[in-house]
Amino acid sequence: MFPFGDGKSQESSSEAVNCYYGAYLWSFVRHGNGSVQSDLTDFARLLFAMEVRATQYYWHMVPKHGNHTKASPIYSSTFQENYMVGNVGMLDVAVNTWFGNDALYVHMINAIP
């Protein structure tokens, strides 16, 4: 909606995930009957799966438990400390939100659809 110097950005992973999940559910109800699915249902399911995978890779980090979890391959330790990214842009990422720097804000904006 508004132009930014570093390109477009997205502040919440839950919005996109829930959008594609809703598209899948609508398509399943509209075009599938439980045993037969349409190409549209399959496409919506693909979009949902890709968004979940991207969210896990670009937004959420798994807490370290001994030697079982490796550090994020794309983000610095600042992001690893919060376990989550606050804002993903075309040219940058942030560990905060538009309305605050508290880690709780970052986690809750990603939890609310």
Side-chain angles (χ1 to χ4, degrees):
M1 290 177 53
F2 303 102
F4 292 101
D6 56 356
K8 294 230 176 241
S9 65
Q10 182 178 345
E11 190 175 34
S12 172
S13 60
S14 64
E15 293 168 352
V17 169
N18 281 295
C19 173
Y20 290 126
Y21 183 59
Y24 167 71
L25 290 177
W26 174 85
S27 177
F28 186 79
V29 168
R30 175 71 173 90
H31 300 288
N33 63 8
S35 61
V36 178
Q37 292 182 345
S38 71
D39 290 341
L40 184 59
T41 303
D42 289 340
F43 183 63
R45 187 172 55 175
L46 172 66
L47 291 173
F48 173 62
M50 289 177 14
E51 192 66 35
V52 168
R53 178 73 184 243
T55 295
Q56 291 171 340
Y57 188 78
Y58 292 107
W59 288 82
H60 304 165
M61 281 134 260
V62 179
K64 292 183 180 182
H65 294 289
N67 294 328
H68 300 291
T69 304
K70 61 183 179 180
S72 170
I74 57 175
Y75 296 124
S76 70
S77 60
T78 303
F79 294 97
Q80 191 75 32
E81 292 170 10
N82 287 334
Y83 308 123
M84 194 170 292
V85 173
N87 200 323
V88 175
M90 287 175 56
L91 302 174
D92 65 350
V93 293
V95 73
N96 56 4
T97 66
W98 291 106
F99 49 86
N101 296 331
D102 193 341
L104 178 65
Y105 298 154
V106 172
H107 286 263
M108 294 314 295
I109 194 69
N110 281 286
I112 299 170

